[in-house]
């Protein structure tokens, strides 16, 4: 799903193919692919021997992507994309691992609700963009703030505890 979405995105952005990425099938394909990626990443932390090391690697790649996209398009650069989100949540897993499946699900739901509220609050600046609090002018090629998307990661943590009895 993610490969198809990115192919369609590239064709739209770079070659002006007439794909609708603001709604419809390809919009939802991108959203569901992203959510699935985050969910599986949350589940995968239960199987890792060293989530901190993985987080550092993912955050290093994320920082590299930020740097490259800044020089490519300083107006829409990726300051907090999906890899930033995953890297930070891998670091937070040291706290998440102590949650029961119910608590992880509950905190995930609360995080999503708060995040959805944050995404609707108009801000005068972008200082807290990584939390989902940003101005109407904020633009990015990839944007997955901690709130609400950490909630999906927490759902993955809960699912791993339920289905794989990991902790």
């Amino acid at each position: 799903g993610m490969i198809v979405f990115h192919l369609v995105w590239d064709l739209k952005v770079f070659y002006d193919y007439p794909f609708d990425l603001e709604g419809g099938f390809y919009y939802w394909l991108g959203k569901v692919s992203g959510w699935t990626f985050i969910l599986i990443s949350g589940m995968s932390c239960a199987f890792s021997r060293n989530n901190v090391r993985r987080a550092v690697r993912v955050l290093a790649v994320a920082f590299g992507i930020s740097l490259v996209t800044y020089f490519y398009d300083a107006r829409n650069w990726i300051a907090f994309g999906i890899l930033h989100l995953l890297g930070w949540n891998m670091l937070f897993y040291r706290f998440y691992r102590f949650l029961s499946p119910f608590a992880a699900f509950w905190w995930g739901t609360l995080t999503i609700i708060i995040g959805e509220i944050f995404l609707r609050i108009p801000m005068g600046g972008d200082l807290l963009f990584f939390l989902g609090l940003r101005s109407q002018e904020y633009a990015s090629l990839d944007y997955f703030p901690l709130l609400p998307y950490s909630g999906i990661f927490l759902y993955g943590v809960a699912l791993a505890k339920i289905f794989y009895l990991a902790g």
Side-chain angles (χ1 to χ4, degrees):
M2 190 158 309
I3 291 169
V4 170
F5 173 77
H6 280 285
L7 173 65
V8 168
W9 188 90
D10 288 344
L11 290 171
K12 167 83 172 165
V13 171
F14 296 117
Y15 300 104
D16 204 28
Y17 275 68
F19 294 114
D20 179 16
L21 301 177
E22 302 298 321
F25 177 77
Y26 292 113
Y27 171 83
W28 286 107
L29 178 65
K31 289 291 184 194
V32 171
S33 297
W35 297 336
T36 304
F37 188 40
I38 297 165
L39 187 77
I40 291 170
S41 295
M43 294 173 73
S44 297
C45 280
F47 303 110
S48 177
R49 293 183 186 178
N50 194 334
N51 283 300
V52 173
R53 186 177 334 167
R54 282 183 346 129
V56 169
R57 280 191 220 140
V58 169
L59 287 170
V61 171
F63 176 73
I65 289 171
S66 293
L67 196 61
V68 168
T69 58
Y70 180 79
F71 288 111
Y72 174 73
D73 184 355
R75 187 174 154 343
N76 295 303
W77 69 294
I78 299 172
F80 209 89
I82 199 164
L83 293 180
H84 299 82
L85 169 79
L86 297 178
W88 281 105
N89 274 285
M90 287 173 195
L91 286 177
F92 298 155
Y93 184 76
R94 66 176 41 175
F95 306 108
Y96 298 161
R97 68 188 176 108
F98 296 111
L99 297 173
S100 70
F102 176 79
F105 183 78
W106 187 87
W107 279 109
T109 302
L110 185 63
T111 300
I112 291 169
I113 291 168
I114 292 170
E116 287 298 321
I117 292 168
F118 277 15
L119 289 172
R120 288 167 175 72
I121 297 173
M123 300 294 289
D126 297 320
L127 186 62
L128 298 174
F129 71 97
F130 61 95
L131 292 176
L133 294 166
R134 77 228 184 290
S135 67
Q136 296 291 353
E137 293 79 35
Y138 183 81
S140 179
L141 295 169
D142 186 34
Y143 182 55
F144 283 84
L146 289 172
L147 303 172
Y149 294 101
S150 293
I152 299 169
F153 192 93
L154 281 161
Y155 286 171
V157 171
L159 289 173
K161 289 175 175 283
I162 292 169
F163 292 112
Y164 299 104
L165 302 174

